[in-house]
Amino acid sequence: MADNDDIPFNRDFPLKPGVVEEVRPGVRRVLCDNPSPFTFTGTVSYIVGKGNVAIIDPGPADEAHAAALLDAVRNETVTHILVTHTHRDHSPNTARIKAATGATVYAEGPHRASRPRFESEKHSPESGADRDFRPDVEVKDRDVIEGSGWQLEAVATPGHTANHLAFAWAERGINFVGDHVMGWSTSIVAPPDGSMIDYMASLDRLAERSEDIYFSGHGPEIPEARRYVRFLTRHRQGREASILHRLAKGEADIPTIVRAVYIGIDPRLTNAAGYSVLAHLEDLVGRGIVATDGDPVIGGSYRMV
């Protein structure tokens, strides 16, 4: 939801679906043809290394994209498949690539809500979860995955999802950050799987690391990445301030807050904006700044303490 002018969004991403582009030595990318208001021009899969390679985020269950990825690594051996998180635009194609290559699949683990909720998930962006996904190797924070000529460190970055990982190639100053940081827009944080508290802490973790070029799950690479992360942090702080400004005028439900805070939003993103507001409200209730009756839920009403 790119509606805050203080973030230098970059929507210049001319890559066409199925085309293999080498963006750094040992880093290639291939775009899947699944554009949407949530995915921008589509999901980007990455190929790391030469000869014996890793594929990061094989993408949605898309046969044409799987064929493009396999064609890109013709005469090479795919030894590793790494998955940043288990949303349906990132992980389902893993099965096709594994069947074709025999590669070992590395990820944090199955999709899980970060904490229980009493509401239906039917209308939540969280319903885009790939609940059938299972990795061969469950990866934890700081685990190092080694291949031929490359070494990637898993960096736990929960927030967008509870099981989100980034993969840092520290030697090259590169981090494959999935959907936690995107150059074209802000990320959706949708409870129950998404958590604003976790998301902000993960931004801090990334900012403290040395990598300064990010390759994202959607859109172009992000140069001066740590500076960009600071922009994102300020953006979220500004969003919180706007929510509190509205609640200072009186009790309100989430649709009312969305109308006040997200001016001129694409109507297709209104539902997702509501869940991002809920993520902020969960945080604010937890900190004792905002009150609601019972647990913070999408249908609740909120007031200043």
Side-chain angles (χ1 to χ4, degrees), residues 24-25 27 152 167-176 209-215:
R24 293 289 187 282
V27 179
L152 297 173
F167 295 102
W169 195 353
E171 181 187 6
R172 299 285 183 90
I174 289 169
N175 206 335
F176 299 94
R209 294 185 60 87
S210 62
E211 298 85 28
D212 213 29
I213 300 169
Y214 290 173
F215 288 100

Side-chain angles (χ1 to χ4, degrees), residues 80-84 104-110 112 133-146 152-157 162-168:
H80 299 67
I81 300 168
L82 281 61
V83 175
T84 60
T104 303
V105 179
Y106 297 79
E108 185 175 292
R112 57 190 169 81
F133 176 87
R134 297 291 183 275
D136 298 317
V137 178
E138 290 202 13
V139 179
K140 301 184 299 298
D141 183 44
R142 300 187 181 180
D143 283 354
V144 175
I145 302 163
E146 295 191 50
L152 297 173
E153 179 189 353
V155 183
T157 47
N163 68 352
H164 197 290
L165 291 173
F167 295 102

